[in-house]
Amino acid sequence: MTKTPRKPRVIRLDQSGDNKPDSHGPDEPVRQRKPRAQKDLAKLALIPDEAAQASAQSGSDNIADALTPPPPDPSRKRFSFVNVLLVALAGLVSLGFGLTIDQLVRELFERNTWLGWAAALLTLAVVLAAIGIIVREFLGLRRMKQIEAMREKASELVKASDMRAAGRLVDQLMTIYQSRPDTARGRTKMESHHGEIIDGPDLIRLAECDLVSPLDKKARRLVLNAAKRVSVVTAISPRAIVDIAYVGLENIRLVRQLAELYGGRPGTLGMVRLARNVIAHLAVTGSIAIGDGIIQQLVGHGLAARLSSRLGEGVVNGLLTARVGISAIDLCRPLPFMAEKRPGISDFISDIVSISGGKEREDS
Amino acid sequence: MNSITNLTDDALIAFDALGDVARNLVSPSLRFGVTGLSRAGKTVFITALVHNLIHGGRLPLFSAQASGRLARAYLQPQPDDDVPRFQYEDHLKALLEDRIWPESTRAISELRLTIEYESASAWNRTFGRGRISLDIVDYPGEWLLDLPLLGKSYEEWSKEALTLSNLSNRAPLAEKWHQKLKAIDPAGVEDETAARELASLFTDYLRNCREDSTALSTLPPGRFLMPGDLEGSPALTFAPLDMPEDATAAAGSLHAMMARRYESYKSIVVKPFFREHFARIDRQIVLVDVLQALNVGKDAVIDLENALADILTCFRPGRASWLTSLFSARTDRILFAAAKADHLHHENHDRLERLLSHMVDKAVTKAKFAGAKVDVLAMAAIRATGEAELREGIENLPVIVGTPIKGESIDDETFDGKTETAIFPGDLPENPAKLLARGSKLQSDLNFVRFRPPKLDKTAEGLTLSLPHIRLDRALEFLLGDQLQ
């Protein structure tokens, strides 16, 4: 950091009107600059605040104590023969596959030219589809990583006062939600803050309240509905295997819906990754969630179970779904919970139990 | 220093507090103290606050407003009939139509703003009134300087005033008064002419100190500069005398006369102000114009720091509970605001905040210890400038754009008060402690220019858009947010 103090100076604004907003490269930290005089007015570029904010350089990307502990990554640095084996096998299999197709096409050409052409076209379609799938998966994964990065960045920025980086983050968020009509109101609100001087942490909290919290309400409803369905189905399903399958399906569906709600586009790979993260996150936050709702859980389970073990299982499965939902919200939300309250198991428990309760009365 | 209140004062304050509590049962109100030395922008702050609340201005961080819970805000007749009303409409007209800042306040005035709101909690919605009145008091900043006098005897004050006037930056201004002082014997017979002459020379000296070029802040007694209807009365005709250490005032001497008048100044002028307006404040905002002092140099900043330290000893911070509030009002939230932050580019705001926190550090610690909540903020109640960047090669110079007031100058260039200009006022020092450390070099690479109020666009219906500001909403959230929950 250089230490050259800047002198006060004045610049006349006669022809600044036609100057375009200017964006510039990485911004150096504020320092003291040397005094100078500048009479050439054409050099002055009026910069709206958002451009200034957008042009700032980002800070460091990772902090150890992010609000949501990042799910533990399986150690992948170590050299593994299994990996070599798998990669080599996969290579061989695809080579064999290519050879087979090649042979097939050739044989078809020998047999009949148009059959050969048809096979070639089909092969092309297969290749194109494969590329399409790969691109989509890749984009989905990238979006997921982007959202993860935003969340970490936000929890870091909320402690620092970096107005520009915060502005950039909010702009990024706005881009993600650009195509979402349900955030229109929040986006208009956020856009009206451009050019205002709002501190970084405040700006991020504002974005959370205006842009993300309407989605939170929907997320809550999604989780609640899924939990209700799970508990009802468990309570009335004739066989254990049915409700196990249903709970699994419903949970996967819930996670996907939540990811889509918050702006993610998980493909198959993304879904696998997300599901893995959700489970890992559940393990990390599980103890907190239990502490949060342990009494209600016990009471709910105890009461229901005394009346009927099936109902008790329904409640428990419903709660499990709610917990998976909360965990997925944590992972899919582009901002951590700062201004808003993080939903807890207690937000869902009364609804889940009341359904079972309702059924109970009908049963007895 | 002695305590600034005695038993009688405390009894009277307790009596007032009891009255306030009784009144609060009928209509809940909050006494909102806007404190600041002269030219710190108290009047502008009050005007901006009232305008933004009445017209639903852009206050995204003021949660009650942002979530739409504020039903409406309107002005009401104030509770104290003996205090003039704050001329909100006139000040607003001056700001919006003539684009000039309101004239400096000459007398005390008061305003009651009633806010109707929807409470966020079900309990308050059911049992609360959903209405709160803000009583806002505006007064000349000079009066504030008197408060520390309450704890000082005449002799103490004399000595302090003399020491101050002998400082290198003040001595030339006080020359005439010093000459006169030498010719006078404090133990001599009391003499009205001499007293008058001394007082007027002393007043001249104080007035000189306040000029822009010196911008000194520690100038008690404040009423000398802003006498109002007491002009020429004995209570305002006294001055410090050069007395030996252990001099006692013999009856009939000049010393005794001056001391008596000093005491009556305290009891006639300072105490009522303290008791009626200062001791009853629930929420306090302290506006400090750091930039003006920085403009002049280190001495002015140190002087400002001392003046603030003196004033802040008169605060009564503490956690307000229903029991203590029966007997004495306690200020439970204090906000220190570095006013006129719009005269700086926002990348320097952090440094401005740091500088102010450094200056009021002791008061903050004391208030926090007493249980009050304290915050420090760089703020502009009305934002008169925009921001831009000047591109020069690889460097970008952050500048502010606005219309400087006529007669202001920078870099050998004087402004006509009409042209919009981009200004780079200099970088604030990174380390406030270094700037204020005695013996350090005077920081001269700063030049803050005052700007005219902003030109506001009107909507198609002819309505004026809300007044722009910097962090006014954060200030409001801190000061009022909890009351509107």
Side-chain angles (χ1 to χ4, degrees), chain A residues 194-246:
Chain A
H194 273 325
E196 296 290 322
I197 294 181
I198 300 176
D199 292 320
D202 291 334
L203 192 65
I204 292 177
R205 286 206 183 86
L206 270 183
E208 193 191 343
C209 291
D210 289 343
L211 279 175
V212 185
S213 88
L215 300 179
D216 286 345
K217 291 204 185 80
K218 287 190 179 171
R220 215 165 276 214
R221 209 158 49 228
L222 283 178
V223 175
L224 183 60
N225 286 343
K228 277 181 182 169
R229 276 198 299 273
V230 163
S231 71
V232 171
V233 169
T234 315
I236 61 173
S237 78
R239 289 196 193 277
I241 189 75
V242 175
D243 54 79
I244 289 174
Y246 185 77

Short mmCIF file of all heavy atoms in Angstrom, two decimals, chain A residues 194-246:
data_model
loop_
_atom_site.label_atom_id
_atom_site.label_comp_id
_atom_site.label_asym_id
_atom_site.label_seq_id
_atom_site.Cartn_x
_atom_site.Cartn_y
_atom_site.Cartn_z
N HIS A 194 -29.75 2.13 -5.76
CA HIS A 194 -28.53 2.46 -6.50
C HIS A 194 -28.22 3.93 -6.37
O HIS A 194 -29.10 4.78 -6.45
CB HIS A 194 -28.72 2.10 -7.98
CG HIS A 194 -28.36 0.67 -8.25
ND1 HIS A 194 -27.33 0.04 -7.59
CD2 HIS A 194 -28.87 -0.23 -9.10
CE1 HIS A 194 -27.24 -1.19 -8.04
NE2 HIS A 194 -28.18 -1.40 -8.94
N GLY A 195 -26.97 4.23 -6.16
CA GLY A 195 -26.57 5.63 -6.04
C GLY A 195 -26.68 6.13 -4.62
O GLY A 195 -26.17 7.18 -4.30
N GLU A 196 -27.36 5.37 -3.76
CA GLU A 196 -27.42 5.77 -2.36
C GLU A 196 -26.19 5.22 -1.65
O GLU A 196 -25.60 4.24 -2.09
CB GLU A 196 -28.66 5.19 -1.69
CG GLU A 196 -29.96 5.70 -2.26
CD GLU A 196 -30.19 7.14 -1.91
OE1 GLU A 196 -29.86 7.55 -0.77
OE2 GLU A 196 -30.69 7.89 -2.77
N ILE A 197 -25.84 5.86 -0.58
CA ILE A 197 -24.70 5.35 0.18
C ILE A 197 -25.22 4.49 1.31
O ILE A 197 -25.79 4.98 2.28
CB ILE A 197 -23.86 6.51 0.71
CG1 ILE A 197 -23.22 7.22 -0.48
CG2 ILE A 197 -22.80 6.01 1.66
CD1 ILE A 197 -22.36 8.37 -0.12
N ILE A 198 -25.08 3.20 1.14
CA ILE A 198 -25.54 2.25 2.15
C ILE A 198 -24.37 1.35 2.47
O ILE A 198 -23.72 0.83 1.57
CB ILE A 198 -26.73 1.43 1.64
CG1 ILE A 198 -27.89 2.35 1.28
CG2 ILE A 198 -27.16 0.41 2.66
CD1 ILE A 198 -29.08 1.66 0.68
N ASP A 199 -24.10 1.15 3.72
CA ASP A 199 -22.95 0.35 4.10
C ASP A 199 -23.12 -1.09 3.66
O ASP A 199 -24.24 -1.59 3.57
CB ASP A 199 -22.75 0.40 5.62
CG ASP A 199 -22.33 1.77 6.05
OD1 ASP A 199 -21.52 2.37 5.33
OD2 ASP A 199 -22.81 2.25 7.09
N GLY A 200 -22.00 -1.76 3.43
CA GLY A 200 -22.02 -3.12 2.93
C GLY A 200 -22.94 -4.06 3.69
O GLY A 200 -23.85 -4.65 3.11
N PRO A 201 -22.73 -4.20 5.00
CA PRO A 201 -23.58 -5.13 5.75
C PRO A 201 -25.06 -4.77 5.65
O PRO A 201 -25.92 -5.64 5.51
CB PRO A 201 -23.09 -4.95 7.19
CG PRO A 201 -21.72 -4.45 7.07
CD PRO A 201 -21.66 -3.63 5.82
N ASP A 202 -25.35 -3.47 5.68
CA ASP A 202 -26.75 -3.04 5.59
C ASP A 202 -27.34 -3.41 4.23
O ASP A 202 -28.48 -3.84 4.14
CB ASP A 202 -26.85 -1.53 5.79
CG ASP A 202 -26.54 -1.14 7.20
OD1 ASP A 202 -26.75 -1.98 8.08
OD2 ASP A 202 -26.10 0.00 7.42
N LEU A 203 -26.52 -3.23 3.20
CA LEU A 203 -27.00 -3.52 1.85
C LEU A 203 -27.34 -5.00 1.72
O LEU A 203 -28.36 -5.38 1.15
CB LEU A 203 -25.92 -3.13 0.84
CG LEU A 203 -26.38 -3.11 -0.62
CD1 LEU A 203 -27.42 -2.04 -0.81
CD2 LEU A 203 -25.21 -2.88 -1.55
N ILE A 204 -26.49 -5.85 2.29
CA ILE A 204 -26.74 -7.29 2.19
C ILE A 204 -27.98 -7.66 2.99
O ILE A 204 -28.81 -8.45 2.55
CB ILE A 204 -25.51 -8.07 2.67
CG1 ILE A 204 -24.38 -7.83 1.68
CG2 ILE A 204 -25.81 -9.54 2.79
CD1 ILE A 204 -23.10 -8.47 2.07
N ARG A 205 -28.15 -7.05 4.14
CA ARG A 205 -29.37 -7.33 4.92
C ARG A 205 -30.60 -6.88 4.17
O ARG A 205 -31.63 -7.55 4.18
CB ARG A 205 -29.29 -6.63 6.27
CG ARG A 205 -28.33 -7.31 7.19
CD ARG A 205 -28.68 -7.07 8.65
NE ARG A 205 -27.68 -7.71 9.47
CZ ARG A 205 -26.53 -7.13 9.81
NH1 ARG A 205 -26.29 -5.89 9.42
NH2 ARG A 205 -25.65 -7.76 10.52
N LEU A 206 -30.50 -5.72 3.52
CA LEU A 206 -31.62 -5.24 2.72
C LEU A 206 -31.96 -6.23 1.63
O LEU A 206 -33.13 -6.55 1.40
CB LEU A 206 -31.26 -3.90 2.07
CG LEU A 206 -31.56 -2.64 2.84
CD1 LEU A 206 -31.19 -1.45 2.00
CD2 LEU A 206 -33.03 -2.59 3.19
N ALA A 207 -30.91 -6.72 0.95
CA ALA A 207 -31.13 -7.67 -0.13
C ALA A 207 -31.81 -8.91 0.43
O ALA A 207 -32.70 -9.48 -0.20
CB ALA A 207 -29.81 -8.03 -0.79
N GLU A 208 -31.40 -9.33 1.62
CA GLU A 208 -32.01 -10.51 2.21
C GLU A 208 -33.50 -10.28 2.46
O GLU A 208 -34.33 -11.11 2.13
CB GLU A 208 -31.29 -10.86 3.52
CG GLU A 208 -31.67 -12.24 4.02
CD GLU A 208 -31.18 -12.48 5.42
OE1 GLU A 208 -30.31 -11.74 5.88
OE2 GLU A 208 -31.70 -13.40 6.05
N CYS A 209 -33.81 -9.09 3.02
CA CYS A 209 -35.21 -8.81 3.33
C CYS A 209 -36.04 -8.66 2.07
O CYS A 209 -37.15 -9.14 1.98
CB CYS A 209 -35.33 -7.54 4.16
SG CYS A 209 -34.67 -7.72 5.78
N ASP A 210 -35.50 -7.95 1.08
CA ASP A 210 -36.32 -7.61 -0.08
C ASP A 210 -36.35 -8.71 -1.12
O ASP A 210 -37.38 -8.95 -1.74
CB ASP A 210 -35.81 -6.32 -0.71
CG ASP A 210 -36.12 -5.13 0.16
OD1 ASP A 210 -36.98 -5.29 1.04
OD2 ASP A 210 -35.53 -4.06 -0.03
N LEU A 211 -35.21 -9.36 -1.34
CA LEU A 211 -35.14 -10.32 -2.43
C LEU A 211 -35.38 -11.75 -1.96
O LEU A 211 -36.09 -12.51 -2.61
CB LEU A 211 -33.76 -10.25 -3.09
CG LEU A 211 -33.52 -9.14 -4.10
CD1 LEU A 211 -32.08 -9.15 -4.55
CD2 LEU A 211 -34.44 -9.31 -5.29
N VAL A 212 -34.77 -12.10 -0.88
CA VAL A 212 -34.76 -13.53 -0.50
C VAL A 212 -35.93 -13.90 0.42
O VAL A 212 -36.45 -15.00 0.34
CB VAL A 212 -33.42 -13.90 0.15
CG1 VAL A 212 -33.36 -15.37 0.42
CG2 VAL A 212 -32.27 -13.50 -0.75
N SER A 213 -36.35 -12.96 1.25
CA SER A 213 -37.36 -13.37 2.23
C SER A 213 -38.72 -13.71 1.62
O SER A 213 -39.42 -14.56 2.17
CB SER A 213 -37.48 -12.35 3.35
OG SER A 213 -38.40 -11.37 3.03
N PRO A 214 -39.13 -13.11 0.49
CA PRO A 214 -40.37 -13.61 -0.12
C PRO A 214 -40.22 -15.08 -0.54
O PRO A 214 -41.18 -15.85 -0.44
CB PRO A 214 -40.55 -12.73 -1.36
CG PRO A 214 -39.75 -11.52 -1.10
CD PRO A 214 -38.62 -11.93 -0.22
N LEU A 215 -39.02 -15.44 -0.96
CA LEU A 215 -38.79 -16.85 -1.34
C LEU A 215 -38.81 -17.74 -0.10
O LEU A 215 -39.24 -18.89 -0.17
CB LEU A 215 -37.45 -16.98 -2.05
CG LEU A 215 -37.32 -16.16 -3.34
CD1 LEU A 215 -35.95 -16.35 -3.94
CD2 LEU A 215 -38.38 -16.59 -4.34
N ASP A 216 -38.35 -17.18 1.02
CA ASP A 216 -38.36 -17.97 2.25
C ASP A 216 -39.77 -18.43 2.60
O ASP A 216 -39.99 -19.55 3.05
CB ASP A 216 -37.83 -17.14 3.43
CG ASP A 216 -36.33 -16.96 3.34
OD1 ASP A 216 -35.71 -17.70 2.57
OD2 ASP A 216 -35.80 -16.09 4.04
N LYS A 217 -40.71 -17.52 2.39
CA LYS A 217 -42.09 -17.88 2.72
C LYS A 217 -42.54 -19.07 1.89
O LYS A 217 -43.16 -20.00 2.38
CB LYS A 217 -43.00 -16.69 2.47
CG LYS A 217 -42.77 -15.57 3.46
CD LYS A 217 -44.01 -14.69 3.58
CE LYS A 217 -43.73 -13.50 4.48
NZ LYS A 217 -42.99 -12.44 3.77
N LYS A 218 -42.20 -19.00 0.59
CA LYS A 218 -42.57 -20.12 -0.27
C LYS A 218 -41.86 -21.39 0.16
O LYS A 218 -42.45 -22.48 0.15
CB LYS A 218 -42.20 -19.80 -1.72
CG LYS A 218 -43.11 -18.78 -2.33
CD LYS A 218 -42.88 -18.67 -3.81
CE LYS A 218 -43.84 -17.64 -4.38
NZ LYS A 218 -43.54 -17.32 -5.75
N ALA A 219 -40.60 -21.25 0.50
CA ALA A 219 -39.80 -22.42 0.91
C ALA A 219 -40.45 -23.06 2.13
O ALA A 219 -40.58 -24.28 2.22
CB ALA A 219 -38.37 -21.99 1.21
N ARG A 220 -40.86 -22.23 3.04
CA ARG A 220 -41.48 -22.74 4.25
C ARG A 220 -42.72 -23.55 3.92
O ARG A 220 -42.97 -24.61 4.48
CB ARG A 220 -41.86 -21.55 5.13
CG ARG A 220 -41.70 -21.80 6.58
CD ARG A 220 -41.73 -20.51 7.32
NE ARG A 220 -40.41 -19.88 7.31
CZ ARG A 220 -39.94 -19.18 8.32
NH1 ARG A 220 -40.67 -19.02 9.39
NH2 ARG A 220 -38.75 -18.64 8.26
N ARG A 221 -43.49 -23.01 2.96
CA ARG A 221 -44.71 -23.71 2.59
C ARG A 221 -44.37 -25.05 1.94
O ARG A 221 -45.01 -26.07 2.21
CB ARG A 221 -45.53 -22.84 1.65
CG ARG A 221 -47.00 -23.12 1.76
CD ARG A 221 -47.83 -21.95 1.27
NE ARG A 221 -47.39 -21.46 -0.02
CZ ARG A 221 -47.18 -20.19 -0.29
NH1 ARG A 221 -47.36 -19.29 0.65
NH2 ARG A 221 -46.80 -19.81 -1.49
N LEU A 222 -43.36 -25.03 1.08
CA LEU A 222 -42.95 -26.29 0.43
C LEU A 222 -42.58 -27.33 1.47
O LEU A 222 -43.03 -28.49 1.41
CB LEU A 222 -41.75 -26.04 -0.48
CG LEU A 222 -42.01 -25.37 -1.82
CD1 LEU A 222 -40.68 -25.17 -2.55
CD2 LEU A 222 -42.92 -26.23 -2.65
N VAL A 223 -41.76 -26.92 2.42
CA VAL A 223 -41.31 -27.86 3.44
C VAL A 223 -42.48 -28.39 4.24
O VAL A 223 -42.62 -29.59 4.48
CB VAL A 223 -40.27 -27.19 4.37
CG1 VAL A 223 -39.90 -28.13 5.50
CG2 VAL A 223 -39.05 -26.77 3.59
N LEU A 224 -43.35 -27.47 4.61
CA LEU A 224 -44.48 -27.86 5.44
C LEU A 224 -45.37 -28.86 4.70
O LEU A 224 -45.78 -29.89 5.27
CB LEU A 224 -45.27 -26.61 5.84
CG LEU A 224 -46.44 -26.89 6.76
CD1 LEU A 224 -45.95 -27.52 8.05
CD2 LEU A 224 -47.21 -25.62 7.05
N ASN A 225 -45.65 -28.55 3.43
CA ASN A 225 -46.51 -29.44 2.68
C ASN A 225 -45.89 -30.82 2.53
O ASN A 225 -46.58 -31.84 2.70
CB ASN A 225 -46.79 -28.85 1.29
CG ASN A 225 -47.76 -27.70 1.39
OD1 ASN A 225 -48.45 -27.56 2.40
ND2 ASN A 225 -47.81 -26.87 0.38
N ALA A 226 -44.60 -30.83 2.23
CA ALA A 226 -43.93 -32.12 2.08
C ALA A 226 -44.00 -32.89 3.39
O ALA A 226 -44.30 -34.10 3.40
CB ALA A 226 -42.49 -31.92 1.65
N ALA A 227 -43.74 -32.20 4.48
CA ALA A 227 -43.74 -32.88 5.78
C ALA A 227 -45.12 -33.43 6.10
O ALA A 227 -45.26 -34.55 6.59
CB ALA A 227 -43.28 -31.90 6.86
N LYS A 228 -46.12 -32.64 5.77
CA LYS A 228 -47.49 -33.11 6.03
C LYS A 228 -47.80 -34.35 5.23
O LYS A 228 -48.32 -35.34 5.76
CB LYS A 228 -48.49 -32.02 5.63
CG LYS A 228 -48.71 -30.94 6.66
CD LYS A 228 -49.73 -29.98 6.09
CE LYS A 228 -50.00 -28.82 7.01
NZ LYS A 228 -50.78 -27.79 6.31
N ARG A 229 -47.47 -34.27 3.93
CA ARG A 229 -47.76 -35.41 3.07
C ARG A 229 -47.06 -36.67 3.60
O ARG A 229 -47.66 -37.73 3.70
CB ARG A 229 -47.29 -35.13 1.65
CG ARG A 229 -48.30 -34.35 0.83
CD ARG A 229 -47.99 -34.48 -0.65
NE ARG A 229 -46.68 -33.93 -0.97
CZ ARG A 229 -46.47 -32.66 -1.26
NH1 ARG A 229 -47.48 -31.81 -1.26
NH2 ARG A 229 -45.26 -32.23 -1.53
N VAL A 230 -45.78 -36.47 3.95
CA VAL A 230 -45.03 -37.63 4.42
C VAL A 230 -45.67 -38.22 5.67
O VAL A 230 -45.85 -39.43 5.79
CB VAL A 230 -43.56 -37.23 4.71
CG1 VAL A 230 -42.90 -38.29 5.57
CG2 VAL A 230 -42.82 -37.06 3.42
N SER A 231 -46.08 -37.36 6.57
CA SER A 231 -46.60 -37.92 7.82
C SER A 231 -47.94 -38.59 7.58
O SER A 231 -48.23 -39.62 8.18
CB SER A 231 -46.67 -36.85 8.92
OG SER A 231 -47.68 -35.95 8.64
N VAL A 232 -48.74 -38.06 6.68
CA VAL A 232 -50.03 -38.70 6.41
C VAL A 232 -49.82 -40.05 5.71
O VAL A 232 -50.39 -41.06 6.11
CB VAL A 232 -50.92 -37.78 5.55
CG1 VAL A 232 -52.15 -38.55 5.08
CG2 VAL A 232 -51.31 -36.57 6.32
N VAL A 233 -48.96 -40.02 4.69
CA VAL A 233 -48.74 -41.26 3.94
C VAL A 233 -48.17 -42.34 4.85
O VAL A 233 -48.58 -43.50 4.80
CB VAL A 233 -47.81 -41.00 2.73
CG1 VAL A 233 -47.34 -42.31 2.13
CG2 VAL A 233 -48.55 -40.19 1.69
N THR A 234 -47.21 -41.95 5.71
CA THR A 234 -46.64 -42.94 6.63
C THR A 234 -47.72 -43.51 7.53
O THR A 234 -47.74 -44.71 7.81
CB THR A 234 -45.56 -42.30 7.51
OG1 THR A 234 -44.74 -41.52 6.68
CG2 THR A 234 -44.73 -43.34 8.21
N ALA A 235 -48.60 -42.63 7.98
CA ALA A 235 -49.61 -43.09 8.92
C ALA A 235 -50.59 -44.06 8.28
O ALA A 235 -51.11 -44.94 8.95
CB ALA A 235 -50.36 -41.88 9.49
N ILE A 236 -50.85 -43.91 6.99
CA ILE A 236 -51.88 -44.77 6.39
C ILE A 236 -51.33 -45.84 5.47
O ILE A 236 -52.07 -46.65 4.95
CB ILE A 236 -52.92 -43.93 5.62
CG1 ILE A 236 -52.24 -43.18 4.49
CG2 ILE A 236 -53.65 -42.97 6.53
CD1 ILE A 236 -53.20 -42.47 3.57
N SER A 237 -50.00 -45.84 5.25
CA SER A 237 -49.49 -46.79 4.27
C SER A 237 -49.57 -48.20 4.83
O SER A 237 -49.32 -48.43 6.02
CB SER A 237 -48.05 -46.47 3.91
OG SER A 237 -47.21 -46.92 4.94
N PRO A 238 -49.90 -49.16 3.98
CA PRO A 238 -50.10 -50.53 4.46
C PRO A 238 -48.79 -51.25 4.76
O PRO A 238 -48.74 -52.12 5.61
CB PRO A 238 -50.83 -51.21 3.30
CG PRO A 238 -50.46 -50.41 2.09
CD PRO A 238 -50.17 -49.03 2.55
N ARG A 239 -47.70 -50.89 4.03
CA ARG A 239 -46.47 -51.64 4.22
C ARG A 239 -45.31 -50.68 4.46
O ARG A 239 -45.28 -49.58 3.93
CB ARG A 239 -46.15 -52.47 2.98
CG ARG A 239 -47.09 -53.61 2.80
CD ARG A 239 -46.55 -54.63 1.83
NE ARG A 239 -47.63 -55.55 1.46
CZ ARG A 239 -47.97 -56.58 2.20
NH1 ARG A 239 -47.34 -56.86 3.30
NH2 ARG A 239 -48.96 -57.35 1.81
N ALA A 240 -44.37 -51.17 5.26
CA ALA A 240 -43.23 -50.32 5.60
C ALA A 240 -42.49 -49.87 4.36
O ALA A 240 -42.10 -48.73 4.23
CB ALA A 240 -42.28 -51.06 6.53
N ILE A 241 -42.34 -50.82 3.40
CA ILE A 241 -41.55 -50.52 2.22
C ILE A 241 -42.15 -49.35 1.45
O ILE A 241 -41.46 -48.50 0.90
CB ILE A 241 -41.41 -51.78 1.33
CG1 ILE A 241 -40.40 -51.54 0.19
CG2 ILE A 241 -42.73 -52.20 0.73
CD1 ILE A 241 -38.99 -51.56 0.69
N VAL A 242 -43.49 -49.25 1.47
CA VAL A 242 -44.16 -48.17 0.74
C VAL A 242 -43.77 -46.83 1.34
O VAL A 242 -43.38 -45.89 0.63
CB VAL A 242 -45.69 -48.36 0.79
CG1 VAL A 242 -46.37 -47.17 0.15
CG2 VAL A 242 -46.07 -49.63 0.09
N ASP A 243 -43.86 -46.73 2.66
CA ASP A 243 -43.56 -45.40 3.20
C ASP A 243 -42.08 -45.08 3.18
O ASP A 243 -41.70 -43.92 3.04
CB ASP A 243 -44.21 -45.15 4.57
CG ASP A 243 -43.88 -46.20 5.59
OD1 ASP A 243 -42.76 -46.12 6.14
OD2 ASP A 243 -44.74 -47.05 5.83
N ILE A 244 -41.24 -46.08 3.23
CA ILE A 244 -39.80 -45.78 3.08
C ILE A 244 -39.56 -45.19 1.70
O ILE A 244 -38.93 -44.14 1.54
CB ILE A 244 -38.95 -47.05 3.26
CG1 ILE A 244 -38.97 -47.47 4.73
CG2 ILE A 244 -37.51 -46.80 2.82
CD1 ILE A 244 -38.30 -48.78 4.97
N ALA A 245 -40.11 -45.83 0.70
CA ALA A 245 -39.93 -45.34 -0.67
C ALA A 245 -40.51 -43.93 -0.80
O ALA A 245 -39.90 -43.04 -1.39
CB ALA A 245 -40.61 -46.28 -1.66
N TYR A 246 -41.70 -43.75 -0.20
CA TYR A 246 -42.35 -42.46 -0.36
C TYR A 246 -41.54 -41.35 0.34
O TYR A 246 -41.35 -40.27 -0.22
CB TYR A 246 -43.77 -42.50 0.21
CG TYR A 246 -44.49 -41.21 -0.07
CD1 TYR A 246 -44.99 -40.97 -1.34
CD2 TYR A 246 -44.62 -40.25 0.91
CE1 TYR A 246 -45.61 -39.78 -1.63
CE2 TYR A 246 -45.24 -39.05 0.63
CZ TYR A 246 -45.74 -38.82 -0.64
OH TYR A 246 -46.33 -37.65 -0.92
#
